[in-house]
């Protein structure tokens, strides 16, 4: 019996390395987007030319400044497209197809794979049990040219998710709770193996959010140990799920259990992801803008949650809703959620990071307050340095849009 972390390293290397050991391995998947891709390709050119060890293992997506809001952004996309064509890359996703992390989850990542991307939230692929980690442009450039990389093997910790979530509690509240326990960067040097007691009670959408914000926890990786929910997701999105030969056990350096039934809607108040409060503690804060979307919470269940709240009337705060991919947008459209959001006054698009990074499609002005379903609320993250960002789940965000202030979303459900 082993930990899941030990299992994936052993499958890759043929042995189980000890925590702290430096290992070299071949990546299963490498990715970059428009914001980091320029630097990756530029670095490769300085290394002697743009060459990729296996073009079938590279995924490129335009998502951060997409569609291009400036001439410079357009120039960078033209530059990357030129290299995509010269390399003959198949796994290229141009403007409008989706956010890179969402596309990796929908189309590429598999349990036990080693996934690396030139973006800190690459950890999100851990939702399906992949060891996924963000790296800098130089690391990704070298990896693509050499076909290998090195890692310091992390210490494994065990997180159990027990029970069923109560009304208006989602994966966002679970990861905010973990941030209140471990604090920002508290899992630096660790890999978290997450076991779900009742798999169907914690769906893939929720798992993706927790894995995504494990970056804020500082985790080297966070992996949901594959179960029946993982298999169902892979069968739906890939046509088949691999057989997992894994006997859970092994020694963990720390163990923690999340009791879902004890959670309530949580909020990370400015200006830190671990400044976590119950929504009741910040009720009444006036809100200028609400952002529902991003790689963290732009999935179908998030859009559905927002629609459940916003069907009650017209938003009093500016509301921007961005499904994380074209696929999610189409599903939301067919389910009638987009109609509800637009009738409520929301501006809706799809497949762009936009407001999350203060790039475009809703930059905050001086002194403005936002409620966002994204992953970071640092000073200046979404716009002006004196703006404020509260992080919350889609129910809480939609309720803030409806009322123009932070309120407990449970009153509307």
């Amino acid at each position: 019996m082993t930990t899941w972390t030990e299992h994936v390293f052993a499958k890759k290397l043929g042995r189980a390395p000890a925590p702290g050991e430096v290992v070299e391995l071949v990546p299963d998947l490498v990715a970059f987007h428009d914001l980091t891709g320029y630097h990756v390709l530029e670095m490769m050119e300085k290394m002697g030319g743009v060459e990729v060890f296996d073009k079938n293992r590279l995924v490129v997506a335009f998502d951060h400044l997409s569609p291009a809001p400036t001439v410079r952004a357009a120039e960078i996309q033209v530059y990357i497209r030129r290299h995509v064509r010269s390399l003959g890359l198949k796994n290229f996703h141009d403007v409008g197809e989706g956010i890179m992390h969402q596309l990796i989850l929908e189309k590429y990542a598999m349990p036990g794979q080693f996934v690396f991307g030139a973006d800190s939230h690459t950890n999100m692929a851990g939702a399906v049990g992949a060891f996924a980690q963000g790296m800098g442009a130089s690391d990704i450039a070298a990896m693509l040219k050499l076909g290998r990389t090195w890692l310091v093997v992390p210490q494994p910790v065990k997180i159990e998710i027990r029970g069923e979530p109560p009304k208006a509690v989602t994966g966002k509240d679970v990861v905010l709770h973990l941030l209140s326990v471990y604090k920002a960067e508290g899992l630096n040097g660790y890999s978290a193996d997450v076991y779900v007691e009742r798999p169907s009670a914690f769906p893939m959408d929720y798992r993706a959010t927790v894995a995504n914000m494990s970056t804020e926890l500082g985790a080297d990786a966070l992996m949901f140990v594959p179960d029946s929910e993982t298999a169902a997701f892979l069968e739906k999105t890939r046509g088949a799920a691999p057989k997992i030969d894994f006997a859970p056990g092994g020694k963990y350096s720390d163990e923690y259990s999340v009791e879902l039934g004890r959670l309530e809607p949580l909020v990370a108040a400015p200006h830190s992801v671990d400044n976590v409060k119950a929504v009741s503690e910040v009720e009444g804060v006036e809100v200028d803008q609400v952002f529902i979307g991003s790689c963290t919470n732009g999935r179908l269940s998030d859009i559905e949650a927002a629609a459940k709240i916003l069907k009650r009337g017209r938003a009093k705060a500016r509301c921007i809703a961005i499904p994380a991919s074209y696929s999610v947008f189409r599903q939301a459209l067919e389910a009638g959620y987009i109609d509800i959001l637009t009738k409520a006054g929301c501006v809706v698009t799809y497949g762009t990071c936009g407001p999350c990074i203060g790039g475009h499609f809703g930059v905050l002005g001086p002194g403005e307050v936002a409620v966002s379903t994204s992953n970071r609320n640092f000073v200046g993250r979404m716009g002006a340095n004196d703006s404020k960002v509260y992080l919350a789940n889609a129910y809480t965000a939609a309720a803030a849009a409806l009322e123009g202030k932070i309120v407990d979303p449970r009153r509307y459900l």
Side-chain angles (χ1 to χ4, degrees):
M1 296 191 297
T2 64
T3 69
W4 179 252
T5 296
E6 290 170 335
H7 174 79
V8 298
F9 272 97
K11 284 288 186 180
K12 188 69 173 176
L13 301 174
R15 64 183 182 87
E21 184 178 341
V22 178
V23 298
E24 189 176 273
L25 52 81
V26 177
D28 295 295
L29 201 64
V30 187
F32 61 74
H33 50 63
D34 52 316
L35 205 62
T36 59
Y38 175 82
H39 301 293
V40 172
L41 293 170
E42 184 181 45
M43 188 62 63
M44 292 176 77
E45 287 178 337
K46 291 179 181 179
M47 293 176 181
V50 177
E51 299 170 338
V52 176
F53 80 103
D54 184 347
K55 63 185 180 183
N56 293 321
R57 300 192 189 198
L58 174 59
V59 177
V60 178
F62 287 173
D63 58 9
H64 271 57
L65 295 175
S66 172
T70 66
V71 172
R72 181 56 182 156
E75 288 173 349
I76 288 172
Q77 291 178 13
V78 167
Y79 169 76
I80 296 173
R81 284 191 193 99
R82 187 169 70 246
H83 282 293
V84 165
R85 286 193 296 269
S86 66
L87 290 168
L89 295 182
K90 296 186 299 181
N91 305 327
F92 172 56
H93 302 277
D94 210 325
V95 172
E97 291 189 51
I99 298 173
M100 184 178 82
H101 308 305
Q102 178 69 17
L103 293 170
I104 287 173
L105 185 66
E106 289 178 2
K107 299 176 180 293
Y108 299 104
M110 297 291 283
Q113 285 187 332
F114 281 79
V115 179
F116 302 99
D119 187 279
S120 59
H121 290 99
T122 302
N123 287 24
M124 196 175 98
V128 295
F131 187 98
Q133 192 176 96
M135 289 188 173
S138 299
D139 295 298
I140 296 298
M143 192 185 308
L144 286 172
K145 286 186 73 71
L146 301 174
R148 61 186 187 274
T149 192
W150 62 270
L151 291 174
V152 177
V153 178
Q155 286 274 1
V157 298
K158 181 180 182 180
I159 296 173
E160 291 184 282
I161 296 179
R162 297 176 176 173
E164 297 188 7
K167 185 168 61 175
V169 168
T170 73
K172 187 57 156 278
D173 305 291
V174 169
V175 75
L176 290 178
H177 172 72
L178 290 173
L179 279 159
S180 74
V181 173
Y182 287 103
K183 303 303 180 182
E185 302 301 318
L187 290 181
N188 198 338
Y190 294 89
S191 172
D193 295 354
V194 184
Y195 296 79
V196 180
E197 181 188 46
R198 302 181 191 177
S200 61
F202 207 75
M204 189 56 63
D205 282 9
Y206 291 6
R207 298 175 189 214
T209 300
V210 175
N212 180 280
M213 286 191 67
S214 69
T215 301
E216 277 58 62
L217 285 161
D220 288 19
L222 182 148
M223 298 176 280
F224 279 81
V225 178
D227 54 26
S228 57
E229 183 67 20
T230 316
F233 173 78
L234 293 174
E235 286 167 4
K236 180 180 178 181
T237 57
R238 315 289 201 281
K243 184 179 179 181
I244 306 295
D245 180 22
F246 170 64
K251 184 179 179 180
Y252 287 97
S253 61
D254 186 45
E255 297 188 16
Y256 184 78
S257 295
V258 179
E259 299 291 344
L260 291 175
R262 297 180 181 178
L263 295 185
E264 59 184 310
L266 299 174
V267 171
H271 292 284
S272 177
V273 291
D274 59 11
N275 186 16
V276 178
K277 304 176 184 294
V279 68
S280 58
E281 297 180 71
V282 291
E283 274 200 280
V285 173
E286 293 187 359
V287 174
D288 299 290
Q289 178 173 299
V290 168
F291 172 42
I292 299 162
S294 85
C295 60
T296 315
N297 282 109
R299 279 165 285 281
L300 188 63
S301 63
D302 300 302
I303 307 306
E304 178 184 18
K308 284 181 178 178
I309 301 288
L310 286 164
K311 68 181 181 182
R312 292 176 170 271
R314 194 162 180 86
K316 293 180 181 177
R318 303 192 308 272
C319 183
I320 298 162
I322 305 180
S325 70
Y326 176 74
S327 174
V328 174
F329 177 84
R330 286 298 308 175
Q331 292 175 66
L333 186 67
E334 290 162 8
Y337 305 147
I338 302 300
D339 186 55
I340 292 171
L341 295 181
T342 54
K343 284 179 178 175
C346 295
V347 177
V348 182
T349 187
Y350 55 88
T352 184
C353 300
C356 173
I357 57 168
H360 67 134
F361 217 84
V363 177
L364 296 178
E368 290 196 308
V369 174
V371 173
S372 174
T373 65
S374 54
N375 44 46
R376 288 177 175 163
N377 61 349
F378 308 143
V379 172
R381 169 69 178 184
M382 292 181 66
N385 282 339
D386 63 346
S387 62
K388 296 179 180 179
V389 179
Y390 291 78
L391 302 178
N393 71 29
Y395 289 108
T396 303
L402 185 67
E403 292 289 349
K405 60 185 178 182
I406 296 177
V407 295
D408 191 325
R410 290 173 292 188
R411 69 180 68 171
Y412 301 108
L413 299 172

